[in-house]
Amino acid sequence: MKVLLTSHGSTGDIYPVISLGHALIKAGHQVRFATVSLFREEVESAGIDFVNLPPNWNQADFARVMRDLTKAKNGLDTLRIIYSETVPYFDEIIDILRRELEAADIFVSNYIFSHLCVLAREVGVPSAVTTFAHNIVPSENYPPIALPRFLAVPEFFRRFWNRALWNLTDKVICWQINRVVGEVLQRNGIRRLASFALEPADKILVSVSPALFEKENLWSERFKFSGYLRWQSPEDLSIKAQLDAFCLGEQVPILTFGSVAFDNANDVMARFMRHWPREKKIIIQSGWAGLTIEHPHSKVCLVPRVSHDQLFKYASMVIHHGGAGTTASVLHAGVPNIVIPQIGDQWFFASEIKRIGVGLEVKRRTWPEDLPEAVSAVEKAKSMRLRATKIAELLSREDGPSSAVRILESLLNQKI
């Protein structure tokens, strides 16, 4: 089959789709990935045909948007910011995707941009969306996240209440998206988005561990837990030598904020260095925020971009923002987490890390001051490390990319 993939965003939005595309190629399918030029090299190095979509931004441009997202008031505001950024480029994006869809048998989009599946539906191409978080998966068993659960009332009422809340949430999200891009959709002959949470596409690939996170009584058969879609860049031998010389066989805390960016990174890191124990080693990944320290320090090792799997081999624990990709990598590494949420669903991932017993959360505003105490607490929690090891063993038996390929193949067979 001929598969057209698309996704926008940061590394965490792109790498899982590369993993899916690579698995599809291994299974004998033709794959094209429509995304921004920033990720062209990674896409093509995986053997996937690259299709350029606007905007032609560099990493600094995307980092600016990430800084804006840290100021979002809530989930709806996060969606408003994301969609507002796409409006100037949306006509061109639609034109490119419409041409690409003429030769496609199936279309796969990122969940955030599920409105693009409306375009696929109107040209008769079956569609799927990928989501890297399971907080948006609806069920009669629970309401949307952060809404009241009413556990003390009879089950039939809870189910009725939960269905009503999911329907209402779906309508509110569609209203927010349509008020930003609805006119652009109509100008291009595309109907406004009618469902975001309940029926965004023919299939929804929930790319987290089914063993850890799949719930019962999902809304419909559209929702399929595939397992993680993880993609790693090649190992860097020079960084390996640097880390070997720094760690000397010891596992140490690692701090990374991935694609998150801050307005005041230098001030934040100065606060961190004032409170970090001077004789304790730590590895800091610079990331999109450009994290650095003012003066060289023998106990602090700064590393640039490097694959999670290579870096986390040196970790006693990983201190991170709670991004979907980073969280998946830490779980696979079998070490505890300290999560400092910054935007969107990162607070949800922090709560899930605590729930499954492999980490704790530190507040965003005071983390430079609070981190040493949190690190000490994790070091003393032997049960947390044992639990992390068991989860890594469980995840080693799952194959998310292969499972996702089978789901897409079955979708096409259903439509033929």
Side-chain angles (χ1 to χ4, degrees), residues 8-9 13 57 65-66 68-69 75-88 112-113 115 180-181 343:
H8 272 70
D13 300 294
W57 287 354
V65 177
M66 296 301 290
D68 290 343
L69 290 174
L76 283 178
D77 198 33
T78 298
L79 286 174
R80 178 192 61 78
I81 294 170
I82 292 171
Y83 276 84
S84 295
E85 291 288 343
T86 69
V87 168
I112 293 295
F113 297 101
H115 60 293
V180 179
V181 299
I343 60 176

Side-chain angles (χ1 to χ4, degrees), residues 165-294:
L165 286 180
W166 278 110
N167 277 294
L168 177 61
T169 298
D170 197 30
K171 288 180 172 58
V172 171
I173 294 175
C174 288
W175 167 80
Q176 176 71 299
I177 293 173
N178 286 326
R179 69 191 289 259
V180 179
V181 299
E183 290 185 9
V184 185
L185 290 172
Q186 289 185 316
R187 184 168 68 239
N188 285 275
I190 302 172
R191 289 175 293 176
R192 288 173 174 247
L193 185 65
S195 181
F196 180 90
L198 305 182
E199 297 182 354
D202 299 307
K203 291 291 181 185
I204 299 90
L205 295 174
V206 187
S207 56
V208 298
S209 166
L212 284 179
F213 299 120
E214 185 170 4
K215 303 292 182 67
E216 295 180 351
N217 300 320
L218 301 184
W219 192 267
S220 74
E221 286 296 311
R222 294 173 186 256
F223 293 85
K224 299 292 185 181
F225 279 69
S226 65
Y228 287 109
L229 305 175
R230 300 181 64 242
W231 183 255
Q232 299 288 303
S233 55
E235 290 201 1
D236 188 315
L237 294 180
S238 63
I239 294 178
K240 179 182 185 302
Q242 177 189 4
L243 293 171
D244 285 343
F246 177 76
C247 293
L248 297 175
E250 177 187 1
Q251 289 185 307
V252 304
I254 292 177
L255 172 66
T256 177
F257 282 107
S259 303
V260 171
F262 310 115
D263 283 330
N264 54 346
N266 290 339
D267 292 342
V268 170
M269 292 307 293
R271 288 167 53 201
F272 164 74
M273 288 303 298
R274 284 198 297 271
H275 292 86
W276 185 253
R278 291 193 60 81
E279 297 306 313
K280 189 172 186 61
K281 288 183 178 180
I282 188 169
I283 298 169
I284 300 175
Q285 187 173 35
S286 57
W288 283 22
L291 300 182
T292 187
I293 56 175
E294 187 175 357

